[in-house]
Amino acid sequence: QVQLEESGGASVQAGGSLRLSCAPSGYPTMGWFRRAPGKEREGVAALNNLGATNYGDSVKGRFTISADNAKNALVLQMYDLKPEDTAMYYCAARRWLSSPFLERIYYDYWGQGTQVTVSS
């Protein structure tokens, strides 16, 4: 049973920053998703182990996905947070190497989520 564990969620003011982590990393393709209240789960960012990345339009230029190999963790660095970024954030992993898709159907394993709340 694969277990992914997210950490780093918190409540912050708009304009602030947060760093989310997910362990273990090391899967060929991994991503971050989020679900805001009343909305569908959406892809935020994804990364494969060839270094290709993909970002949702709403977070481009503000969020960065990376692998922290020393800590065996997938990291989502978030800057300039907005109230609309408020959501439960989930880490996901795919067993196979692929393009860094942002569609959840491609991912095999999921974490339980970590809450991010951004106040104005």
Side-chain angles (χ1 to χ4, degrees):
Q1 182 76 17
V2 174
Q3 289 186 320
L4 301 173
E5 184 170 357
E6 304 92 340
S7 62
S11 295
V12 297
Q13 296 277 339
S17 301
L18 278 177
R19 178 183 169 97
L20 304 184
S21 292
C22 169
S25 62
Y27 291 93
T29 308
M30 297 189 74
W32 286 97
F33 291 74
R34 68 185 181 187
R35 184 169 63 195
K39 295 187 177 182
E40 295 289 322
R41 191 175 300 195
E42 66 170 343
V44 174
L47 169 74
N48 69 20
N49 64 11
L50 296 180
T53 57
N54 192 14
Y55 294 92
D57 289 342
S58 63
V59 305
K60 284 179 181 176
R62 300 189 297 121
F63 291 10
T64 302
I65 188 171
S66 63
D68 185 338
N69 294 323
K71 296 183 178 179
N72 193 24
L74 181 72
V75 174
L76 184 69
Q77 181 67 56
M78 306 186 292
Y79 297 102
D80 190 23
L81 284 160
K82 304 176 186 299
E84 51 264 40
D85 295 318
T86 294
M88 185 71 78
Y89 283 71
Y90 299 90
C91 174
R94 190 175 193 204
R95 287 175 289 182
W96 315 113
L97 175 64
S98 71
S99 294
F101 297 117
L102 293 179
E103 292 78 23
R104 58 185 179 175
I105 193 172
Y106 292 103
Y107 292 84
D108 303 298
Y109 310 115
W110 293 85
Q112 294 298 308
T114 186
Q115 178 68 38
V116 172
T117 302
V118 184
S119 58
S120 57

